[in-house]
Amino acid sequence: MSLKTQLQDDLKTALRANDPMRKLALRQTLAEIKNAEVAKIGELSDDEALAVLRTELKRRRETIAELETVSRPGLLAEAQAQLDVLSAYLPQQMSREQIAETAKAVLAGMGNPGPNQMGQVMKQMMAELKGKADGRLVQDVVRELIG
């Protein structure tokens, strides 16, 4: 089942259950997927739909960060609930230990580069871990291992 189909089916379930946060999060994500399809002039692959989902998650995280600074607990709870709903659709993320193992292998393969070659290391790491790990976490692990 494609990600888009799964989101549509879950939206139908949320509509029947009258779950307002789930409905809102799924509708907004499906609208963004539709916009991406219109821009592409064609159906999105699962990887492209997943990229749209990641963008939506990033927007929610940024919204949460902004709402924490202005102290808006009602809106903050709403954004957090939407983030929780959408996070369930991401594939299983790698743990810090798994990322460290991969980073050690990449660093050994590159001849143990120094801190000035961080960009090259990150490029290779993200190519290997695309969609499996958060970029910030990968960057933190690589910094620890290089520095």
Side-chain angles (χ1 to χ4, degrees), residues 82-98:
Q82 291 180 20
L83 179 70
D84 294 341
V85 167
L86 296 178
S87 294
Y89 295 98
L90 284 178
Q92 182 65 35
Q93 299 290 296
M94 293 177 73
S95 69
R96 187 177 189 90
E97 292 77 29
Q98 292 170 321

Side-chain angles (χ1 to χ4, degrees), residues 59 74 94 106 114 137 141:
R59 284 184 188 155
M94 293 177 73
V106 167
L137 182 58
V141 169

Side-chain angles (χ1 to χ4, degrees), residues 13-63:
T13 304
L15 288 168
R16 288 185 191 113
N18 197 21
D19 185 351
M21 284 302 119
R22 192 170 201 76
K23 284 190 302 189
L24 181 61
L26 293 173
R27 278 185 172 155
Q28 288 175 342
T29 303
L30 284 167
E32 287 301 318
I33 289 173
K34 181 67 176 172
N35 289 339
E37 287 176 341
V38 168
K40 182 184 176 187
I41 309 174
E43 193 89 13
L44 293 182
S45 68
D46 266 354
D47 289 338
E48 293 168 328
L50 196 56
V52 172
L53 178 65
R54 282 194 181 95
T55 302
E56 286 298 301
L57 285 165
K58 183 178 179 182
R59 284 184 188 155
R60 298 306 188 293
R61 286 187 193 106
E62 290 171 354
T63 300

Side-chain angles (χ1 to χ4, degrees), residues 8 21 85 130 144:
Q8 289 170 334
M21 284 302 119
V85 167
K130 183 175 179 135
E144 287 175 13

Side-chain angles (χ1 to χ4, degrees), residues 55-132:
T55 302
E56 286 298 301
L57 285 165
K58 183 178 179 182
R59 284 184 188 155
R60 298 306 188 293
R61 286 187 193 106
E62 290 171 354
T63 300
I64 289 170
E66 289 176 19
L67 291 173
E68 287 173 342
T69 61
V70 295
S71 184
R72 298 284 307 260
L75 294 175
L76 181 63
E78 183 178 313
Q80 185 62 49
Q82 291 180 20
L83 179 70
D84 294 341
V85 167
L86 296 178
S87 294
Y89 295 98
L90 284 178
Q92 182 65 35
Q93 299 290 296
M94 293 177 73
S95 69
R96 187 177 189 90
E97 292 77 29
Q98 292 170 321
I99 294 170
E101 289 174 22
T102 305
K104 287 175 187 174
V106 167
L107 290 171
M110 294 180 75
N112 294 320
N116 58 345
Q117 296 171 318
M118 176 84 171
Q120 295 169 345
V121 174
M122 283 301 296
K123 184 177 181 181
Q124 189 167 346
M125 285 292 296
M126 292 313 294
E128 287 191 30
L129 302 178
K130 183 175 179 135
K132 299 177 189 173

